[in-house]
DNA sequence: TATAAGCTTAGAGCTGACTCCAAGGTCAAT
DNA sequence: ATTGACCTTGGAGTCAGCTCTAAGCTTATA
């Protein structure tokens, strides 16, 4: 039986966060002392670690709520229930990934196009490109957005 | 001279958002009618479009504030000032990109490992992998996390 | 002139995932 | 018995970037 600070240490999640998860229905302490102190069992620890792993994988707390309810009663759920949640997440991740990749490319082209020197920015090609809505090239090559 | 709704139409930003930007010091209407209605000049329109382009490129409103103050007085700023902001943003984007790519890979492996069928989730390999902290493989290949 | 559409403001609400605070109770060690 | 570390709770604050509301004025059209 672990106290909240011990669970915090074991999982790397703060006690604040653990209480927050409890408030949101993700992880309860199986036991409480007479004074109300939370005490966590091994099973609780595993549940918290499941939550942490799922968070690292990108699932929202709402997703994780669903995954947890599958986890406690696997017989009443299908693999498809699980893949549905996972696939939905993958789509979200891919969408964000595409946005970020586009930003990355733009930023790299902007940096390539600019001297970055200490002379004044009167003719800075980054400023020019942003002014032109990125529609023009970086002065030499016609690649931005296009 | 455009009214706010006209500027909204031209830029694709809502009137709400335009007022929000003004409140945060990014874009002022150069003129006001007697009744206080905002009127935007061509120069204002260009400024708003600059902001929009910078937003699309991933810059925060705070970054854009800096870029705008460079824009209005290019002589007092260097190309390096501009590349500093841009490079900082690129680093942030690359960091997020790495996180998302790791999530993407994990999600794809999870999906590969699971049948996704209508049978119950008792032996679902996604659930098993999340339970094991992704430290184990997808039943067949040893690739998750590793 | 009446109506509807559009404008103004300050300020509140939203999202998600924490993060912190105050006020007070508990526990272990000295 | 006292100190200090730890625990409890409800509720507020944080971040970014909007998004919306309410109450009231203005403007264009019929």
């Amino acid at each position: 039986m672990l106290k909240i600070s011990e669970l915090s240490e074991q999982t790397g999640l703060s006690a604040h966060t653990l209480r927050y998860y409890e408030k949101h229905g993700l992880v309860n302490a199986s036991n409480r002392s007479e004074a109300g102190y939370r005490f966590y069992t091994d099973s609780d620890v595993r549940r918290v670690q499941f939550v942490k792993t799922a968070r690292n994988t990108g699932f929202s707390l709402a997703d994780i709520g669903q995954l947890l309810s599958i986890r406690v009663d696997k017989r009443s759920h299908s693999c498809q229930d699980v893949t549905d949640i996972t696939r939905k997440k993958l789509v979200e991740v891919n969408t964000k990934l595409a946005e970020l990749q586009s930003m990355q490319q733009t930023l790299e082209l902007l940096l390539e196009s600019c001297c970055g020197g200490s002379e004044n920015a009167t003719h800075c090609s980054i400023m020019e490109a942003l002014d032109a809505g990125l529609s023009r090239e970086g002065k030499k090559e016609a690649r931005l957005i296009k």
Side-chain angles (χ1 to χ4, degrees), chain A residues 26 61-71 77 85 88:
Chain A
L26 299 183
L61 299 190
D63 293 332
I64 294 171
Q66 291 191 62
L67 291 172
L68 285 170
S69 61
I70 295 174
R71 198 179 100 111
H77 296 272
I85 297 170
K88 203 191 85 214

Side-chain angles (χ1 to χ4, degrees), chain A residues 8-133:
Chain A
S8 166
E9 220 174 312
Q10 275 215 15
T11 60
L13 300 170
S14 75
H16 284 309
T17 297
L18 291 167
R19 287 191 205 99
Y20 174 83
Y21 284 175
E22 180 177 306
K23 192 155 58 178
H24 288 72
L26 299 183
V27 193
N28 278 93
S30 292
N31 300 289
R32 291 277 187 140
S33 76
E34 285 186 8
Y37 282 32
R38 291 169 179 80
F39 282 112
Y40 296 91
T41 63
D42 284 0
S43 157
D44 294 338
V45 175
R46 272 177 261 120
R47 187 171 166 112
V48 170
Q49 269 155 356
F50 179 95
V51 171
K52 195 189 175 190
T53 302
R55 279 298 288 123
N56 289 341
T57 308
F59 290 107
S60 68
L61 299 190
D63 293 332
I64 294 171
Q66 291 191 62
L67 291 172
L68 285 170
S69 61
I70 295 174
R71 198 179 100 111
V72 295
D73 186 10
K74 290 182 177 150
R75 247 148 261 140
S76 308
H77 296 272
S78 65
C79 278
Q80 203 191 337
D81 295 340
V82 180
T83 53
D84 281 353
I85 297 170
T86 308
R87 221 183 300 278
K88 203 191 85 214
K89 191 78 232 169
L90 180 57
V91 169
E92 286 174 31
V93 165
N94 282 337
T95 301
K96 278 198 187 163
L97 219 32
E99 281 169 20
L100 281 173
Q101 274 159 353
S102 151
M103 290 176 187
Q104 183 196 42
Q105 204 206 345
T106 302
L107 290 166
E108 280 173 352
L109 287 172
L110 288 174
L111 284 169
E112 272 176 38
S113 76
C114 178
C115 66
S118 55
E119 49 273 49
N120 78 51
T122 317
H123 302 294
C124 173
S125 43
I126 293 181
M127 295 308 269
E128 283 174 6
L130 291 173
D131 262 323

